[in-house]
Amino acid sequence: MPSKSVRSKKRLRRRYSAGNSSRNTLRADGLFQLDFSLLKVFPVSESKSFEFRAEFFNLTNTPTFSAPVSTVDISSGGQVSSTLNSARVIQFGIKFHF
């Protein structure tokens, strides 16, 4: 009769075996993010001007989900719990050139 440690090793090997899933089943999508900026210069005099700028990061507000949890022996295995990119960000700026 095999010893207790050999039986437990066999049991662990069966519990964490490769299973029947194919390779790369838990993968993440590619990152898609559209950034855009607008710029307008307003001349005040010959050497002075104002510059107005509007910048949009992740303009389409498209979420890119991160890879699923790859630990399959826990209850959250295979779940996607976050995104790779942030939400839409808009910023405005004014610059005075002299």
Side-chain angles (χ1 to χ4, degrees):
M1 178 164 202
S3 68
K4 189 174 185 180
S5 65
V6 172
R7 284 190 304 233
S8 64
K9 285 181 185 178
K10 285 183 180 179
R11 200 175 313 124
L12 281 174
R13 220 177 310 144
R14 268 185 273 138
R15 182 175 175 197
Y16 297 110
S17 64
N20 59 359
S21 64
S22 62
R23 261 184 93 213
N24 299 327
T25 55
L26 300 175
R27 63 174 188 79
D29 295 329
L31 179 66
F32 174 76
Q33 185 165 323
L34 180 66
D35 298 337
F36 183 72
S37 69
L38 293 170
L39 175 78
K40 175 70 176 168
V41 177
F42 298 99
V44 177
S45 67
E46 203 170 295
S47 63
K48 297 176 182 152
S49 63
F50 278 105
E51 177 183 291
F52 174 75
R53 177 181 292 268
E55 296 174 331
F56 304 89
F57 302 100
N58 195 10
L59 180 66
T60 58
N61 206 22
T62 305
T64 302
F65 297 106
S66 61
V69 177
S70 60
T71 310
V72 294
D73 61 334
I74 58 176
S75 63
S76 65
Q79 292 181 355
V80 177
S81 60
S82 63
T83 58
L84 292 175
N85 55 351
S86 60
R88 179 186 302 130
V89 176
I90 303 171
Q91 68 182 28
F92 300 101
I94 295 176
K95 190 187 293 186
F96 181 64
H97 295 278
F98 56 94

